[in-house]
Amino acid sequence: MERYLATLEHEELLVRRGRRSGAYCVVAVHSTARGPALGGCRMWRYDDSRSAVRDALRLSRAMTFKSAVAGLPLGGGKGVIMLRDGVPAGRGRRDVLLDFADTVEALAGRYVTAEDVGTSARDMTVIAENTAHVTGLSRRRGSSGDPSPFTALGVEAAVLTTCERVFGSTSLRGRSISVLGLGNVGLRLARLLTKRGATLVVADIDPARRADAQRLGARWTTPEKALTAAVDLVAPCALGAILDHDAVARLQAPAVAGAANNQLADESVAVTLDQRGILWAPDFVANAGGIINIAVELEPEGYDPSRARRRVRGIATTLGQIFDAAAGGAITPLTAAMELARRRLAERHG
Ligand code: NAI
């Protein structure tokens, strides 16, 4: 409980029971220091309300740092729709989404929502019926659409920068890379890396993905073997907490850069990685392509995919600065990234 209270540094926390669905809708606004608090809406089944609130608090804080490091004029927020039973469909789903929309609207623009685990672009269209503070609608509506291609593009930039530091070149010809998780981001990333001449080892818990591996000409293996393979770089693109102290002890690759959120089981794992001489691209820097793309939607000129791609490629520069600061200050890339985020947050306060 003490740990839980320690993270309560947020500007606002709104918990409302939906009048249509009875489902609890939670929005945490961690910071608006740099702009409106943007973060996705997670629709998930929670056994108790504290876990739902904790998720919103934890994830909104992470969004503040992610957007600050990317230099975006955005703060950090997160929405959670707390499901008790199964995932609602039809009329029930619509009711839940409209209840969440009312919660967003009550914050008058201090929070802006988007897709996340459990919600889709179509859900955002329903939410948009009751609030204007929503992003990630379809491209047909002049919005930025699916963020995954942009996330993959940003991770590719992070992979190149990481390889440059470790091997002295951004060329992927002759490099071997292991991609864990061939989902929306991982598969796209795998295609981009293959095009650049890398040899891939891939894994997914979903056997249906094996056909994708074949099409890519990649070697299919188990997730554990992919993680510990003797490759040049590991790209975690599945779920979080994949790197704990034990896993890091088994890694053979000298570099890690991927899309998965919260890759480190604990922040101290960054030190273990460093001690083993493994260069880790902080996840919230490498996977910011999706949010950078959404931020373009909020610019006065409106959304433009080529401007978005340019901005996303800027992840290479940001990550390069972080690696420089880490090497120069004998600190981990995680500490360097957090320091950059804090400086950017302070700039806006100043
Ligand atoms: P997704 O759900 O489309 O893909 C995840 C893939 O990982 C699935 O194919 C799943 O079967 C596989 N998987 C799950 N557990 C696994 C395991 N233990 N070992 C190997 N494979 C496993 O998700 P998406 O959108 O591709 O996201 C991937 C990661 O990137 C997530 O951690 C997500 O939070 C993060 N991320 C995604 C963004 C986006 O734009 N989609 C933006 C920023 C972060």
Side-chain angles (χ1 to χ4, degrees), residues 126-213:
V126 177
I127 291 173
E129 288 179 30
N130 276 18
T131 181
H133 308 298
V134 48
T135 58
L137 300 171
S138 71
R139 289 280 275 273
R140 277 196 313 278
R141 295 184 52 155
S143 192
S144 62
D146 178 8
S148 305
F150 295 88
T151 304
L153 189 67
V155 177
E156 181 195 33
V159 166
L160 298 182
T161 303
T162 308
C163 282
E164 187 178 31
R165 295 297 159 129
V166 177
F167 307 108
S169 164
T170 55
S171 169
L172 297 186
R173 297 240 157 256
R175 293 261 156 264
S176 54
I177 297 180
S178 167
V179 180
L180 274 110
L182 286 185
N184 287 319
V185 181
L187 184 57
R188 286 184 169 93
L189 175 69
R191 287 196 193 114
L192 293 171
L193 300 177
T194 306
K195 268 197 204 150
R196 287 182 176 271
T199 307
L200 298 192
V201 176
V202 298
D204 197 295
I205 49 166
D206 179 0
R209 295 294 179 181
R210 194 171 184 149
D212 292 315

Side-chain angles (χ1 to χ4, degrees), residues 185-256:
V185 181
L187 184 57
R188 286 184 169 93
L189 175 69
R191 287 196 193 114
L192 293 171
L193 300 177
T194 306
K195 268 197 204 150
R196 287 182 176 271
T199 307
L200 298 192
V201 176
V202 298
D204 197 295
I205 49 166
D206 179 0
R209 295 294 179 181
R210 194 171 184 149
D212 292 315
Q214 249 158 9
R215 272 192 287 276
L216 282 166
R219 183 157 70 82
W220 174 263
T221 186
T222 63
E224 170 60 21
K225 284 190 179 148
L227 180 65
T228 56
V231 288
D232 293 319
L233 181 139
V234 172
C237 296
L239 302 183
I242 188 166
L243 297 171
D244 57 19
H245 295 285
D246 289 344
V248 172
R250 296 196 307 278
L251 284 186
Q252 295 196 69
V256 179

Side-chain angles (χ1 to χ4, degrees), residues 32-111:
T32 55
R34 293 182 59 86
L38 195 140
C41 166
R42 180 163 290 196
M43 192 181 326
W44 202 247
R45 202 180 157 277
Y46 295 91
D47 291 331
D48 82 89
S49 50
R50 276 172 308 183
S51 325
V53 169
R54 195 177 296 139
D55 234 12
L57 291 173
R58 186 175 60 85
L59 295 165
S60 60
R61 180 175 183 272
M63 289 307 297
T64 297
F65 291 111
K66 186 186 286 205
S67 288
V69 165
L72 302 174
L74 295 172
K78 201 80 185 181
V80 167
I81 298 173
M82 183 184 160
L83 299 179
R84 278 226 175 253
D85 310 309
V87 178
R91 178 68 197 258
R93 190 173 185 95
R94 195 180 149 73
D95 284 351
V96 160
L97 293 168
L98 291 176
D99 283 338
F100 181 75
D102 290 347
T103 313
V104 175
E105 185 59 18
L107 288 160
R110 296 191 293 284
Y111 168 70

Side-chain angles (χ1 to χ4, degrees), residues 199-322:
T199 307
L200 298 192
V201 176
V202 298
D204 197 295
I205 49 166
D206 179 0
R209 295 294 179 181
R210 194 171 184 149
D212 292 315
Q214 249 158 9
R215 272 192 287 276
L216 282 166
R219 183 157 70 82
W220 174 263
T221 186
T222 63
E224 170 60 21
K225 284 190 179 148
L227 180 65
T228 56
V231 288
D232 293 319
L233 181 139
V234 172
C237 296
L239 302 183
I242 188 166
L243 297 171
D244 57 19
H245 295 285
D246 289 344
V248 172
R250 296 196 307 278
L251 284 186
Q252 295 196 69
V256 179
N261 270 315
N262 304 318
Q263 288 168 26
L264 308 186
D266 182 282
E267 289 192 359
S268 66
V269 176
V271 178
T272 310
L273 282 160
D274 208 38
Q275 283 166 348
R276 284 215 55 213
I278 299 168
L279 188 62
W280 178 67
D283 41 19
F284 60 96
V285 182
N287 71 17
I291 188 111
I292 293 172
N293 180 52
I294 287 178
V296 170
E297 191 180 312
L298 302 173
E299 289 176 5
E301 305 90 315
Y303 185 68
D304 170 27
S306 51
R307 190 156 21 97
R309 276 191 288 275
R310 230 177 17 250
R311 299 261 153 85
V312 170
R313 289 199 185 95
I315 287 177
T317 311
T318 308
L319 186 59
Q321 286 166 355
I322 288 165

